Amino acid sequence: MAQVSLRNVSKVYPGNVKAVDNVNLNIENKDFIVLVGPSGCGKSTTLRMIAGLEDVTSGDIYIADKHVNNMPAKDRDIAMVFQNYALYPHMTVFENMSFGLRLRRYPRAEVKARVDEAAQILGIGALLDRFPRELSGGERQRVALGRAIVRKPKVFLFDEPLSNLDAKLRVQMRTEIHKLHLKLQTTMIYVTHDQVEAMTLGDKIAVLRDGIIQQFGDPITIYDKPVNKFVAGFMGTPPMNFLSGRILKKSGKLYFDDSDVQVKLVEAMNGNLLDYIDKQVIFGIRSEDIYDKLFVSEAPPENIVRATCEVVEPMGSEVYLYLKTAHNSFIAKVGAHDRPPINEDMDLVFDMSKVHFFDKDTEETII
């Protein structure tokens, strides 16, 4: 069993620079966990502490119920795949993949069997006699994965392994890593700044900011129920639209109003927002929850917002509309055939059953 547990783990660099701040994380056996966040949020530092490449300033790390704070990296039974592949240029693919096993003096027959098995899994059996300079970026990444697989570690660690690949190859390798996890059934911890990778790969996601875990959960929960404005804005493409305004009560009904956008709240939300009447809040709505009124059969007049379409950005299966009102800018994600005229006003429908509200001061979720 390869559970990984971080208990009150912190990392402080000289000058009192706190890279990781009191992180608590329990990763179950066979889970695929993604650490995601902007550059400098502490995700790679956290991974390197698990690997034993960084010392822990305070707190405890356990791998398979063993306390590993003072255990050398080579004894932790982990394998790490790096962003830059870290292949030896003077060694063949076979020699690169088998290097760790040969250092540990595994029998020659077992080394060959393990390398052949990993090469078959990754589809690189024909490349074993080549050198890294003779490989494409995707092939080098597969070799780096193969070098980790032959070790048969308890835990795989990935530090932004796809960031050097082009967009098409990233999608392909993402699929390969996902299939690899299903096949090997091993605990995997993956670091990325790309929230699409996080959403598609992870059984669970930990969203980090300034060394602190903001939210930990499955991808759908994090996307649909963000705990604060940062998570809501970070997860999703395009990012969530935010408007600042007040909660108003008129004729017994609650509205969000920011002077040029006024929409009625669904009744299910009223109880949560009664304490915010006449107070400032942050209103959030995702781009896919804003519709062109021309394509909506029934639209409550209280949910219609008039805006000017400034840019139409075709994305293939969908179109991004960049919209502007007197005081706000926001983005709608609509169908591929919706191409409104540029610099003309249009009516939009806000799906008020899917909006979010955040406290103006704390930025924590109200609903």
Side-chain angles (χ1 to χ4, degrees):
M1 303 294 279
Q3 301 98 330
V4 178
S5 178
L6 282 69
R7 303 178 188 175
N8 305 309
V9 170
S10 295
K11 177 65 179 181
V12 182
Y13 289 108
N16 201 32
V17 177
K18 188 167 283 190
V20 177
D21 189 2
N22 200 40
V23 162
N24 287 280
L25 195 59
N26 288 309
I27 300 167
E28 297 298 327
N29 184 47
K30 301 181 182 180
D31 269 356
F32 195 130
I33 302 299
V34 179
L35 308 180
V36 66
S39 297
C41 71
K43 55 189 184 295
S44 288
T45 303
T46 301
L47 194 77
R48 289 173 65 84
M49 286 192 290
I50 295 170
L53 302 177
E54 291 276 359
D55 293 331
V56 176
T57 303
S58 62
D60 299 288
I61 297 178
Y62 293 85
I63 298 176
D65 296 326
K66 290 183 180 179
H67 188 260
V68 299
N69 283 40
N70 299 314
M71 184 182 292
K74 65 182 180 64
D75 297 330
R76 296 192 182 193
D77 201 6
I78 56 93
M80 192 160 179
V81 180
F82 296 93
Q83 176 179 344
N84 61 0
Y85 318 135
L87 301 178
Y88 295 108
H90 62 287
M91 293 184 183
T92 65
V93 168
F94 180 91
E95 290 167 340
N96 266 285
M97 290 176 63
S98 64
F99 183 69
L101 300 180
R102 289 185 285 120
L103 271 183
R104 290 168 174 78
R105 301 188 182 279
Y106 276 72
R108 186 173 299 179
E110 184 174 355
V111 170
K112 186 179 186 308
R114 287 198 185 192
V115 171
D116 287 345
E117 181 186 11
Q120 183 180 2
I121 291 171
L122 295 166
I124 55 174
L127 307 178
L128 293 177
D129 293 328
R130 294 189 189 179
F131 290 91
R133 63 179 177 273
E134 300 173 310
L135 306 177
S136 68
E139 288 168 341
R140 291 178 193 176
Q141 188 61 75
R142 282 186 170 88
V143 175
L145 285 169
R147 185 175 54 193
I149 291 171
V150 298
R151 295 265 314 280
K152 297 186 178 179
K154 290 179 180 175
V155 182
F156 283 89
L157 306 178
F158 298 88
D159 191 5
E160 304 205 43
L162 308 184
S163 58
N164 288 339
L165 305 179
D166 61 62
K168 184 178 180 180
L169 197 51
R170 275 204 305 273
V171 174
Q172 182 183 340
M173 286 304 300
R174 208 165 63 211
T175 304
E176 293 299 324
I177 291 173
H178 187 70
K179 289 194 294 187
L180 186 64
H181 176 248
L182 294 175
K183 186 176 184 67
L184 298 180
Q185 290 292 296
T186 307
T187 306
M188 294 185 175
I189 306 172
Y190 188 104
V191 159
T192 182
H193 62 273
D194 185 333
Q195 17 102 13
V196 175
E197 281 184 22
M199 292 287 293
T200 54
L201 281 173
D203 298 324
K204 293 180 182 176
I205 300 172
V207 184
L208 281 84
R209 181 192 190 190
D210 298 332
I212 299 171
I213 293 181
Q214 303 292 306
Q215 187 169 358
F216 180 60
D218 66 87
I220 298 303
T221 298
I222 285 179
Y223 188 79
D224 288 341
K225 298 178 180 179
V227 298
N228 57 34
K229 181 174 178 277
F230 171 78
V231 174
F234 187 80
M235 301 301 292
T237 304
M240 185 180 287
N241 299 291
F242 296 111
L243 309 176
S244 293
R246 293 179 178 274
I247 300 297
L248 301 180
K249 187 173 184 178
K250 297 192 303 183
S251 304
K253 298 177 180 178
L254 297 189
Y255 292 78
F256 170 80
D257 181 90
D258 79 336
S259 75
D260 64 347
V261 172
Q262 185 176 104
V263 284
K264 185 172 76 72
L265 277 60
V266 296
E267 290 186 7
M269 296 183 178
N270 289 0
N272 299 75
L273 289 163
L274 288 175
D275 292 338
Y276 287 86
I277 293 174
D278 295 326
K279 293 181 181 178
Q280 287 282 333
V281 296
I282 300 169
F283 171 96
I285 184 167
R286 294 205 180 273
S287 56
E288 62 266 29
D289 299 325
I290 301 174
Y291 316 128
D292 184 340
K293 184 176 179 295
L294 291 176
F295 294 84
V296 179
S297 56
E298 295 183 13
E302 304 97 332
N303 293 3
I304 295 174
V305 175
R306 194 155 184 81
T308 303
C309 182
E310 294 189 310
V311 175
V312 174
E313 189 174 74
M315 302 295 288
S317 61
E318 58 201 13
V319 173
Y320 293 174
L321 307 181
Y322 292 79
L323 304 146
K324 187 174 179 62
T325 61
H327 303 102
N328 295 295
S329 297
F330 50 93
I331 304 172
K333 188 192 296 184
V334 297
H337 303 292
D338 192 354
R339 308 287 178 90
I342 301 295
N343 294 324
E344 290 190 16
D345 288 350
M346 62 183 295
D347 286 332
L348 302 155
V349 181
F350 280 20
D351 187 341
M352 294 302 294
S353 68
K354 297 180 179 177
V355 300
H356 303 259
F357 288 93
F358 307 92
D359 186 280
K360 182 75 172 178
D361 298 320
T362 66
E363 296 191 349
E364 292 182 356
T365 299
I366 300 169
I367 297 177

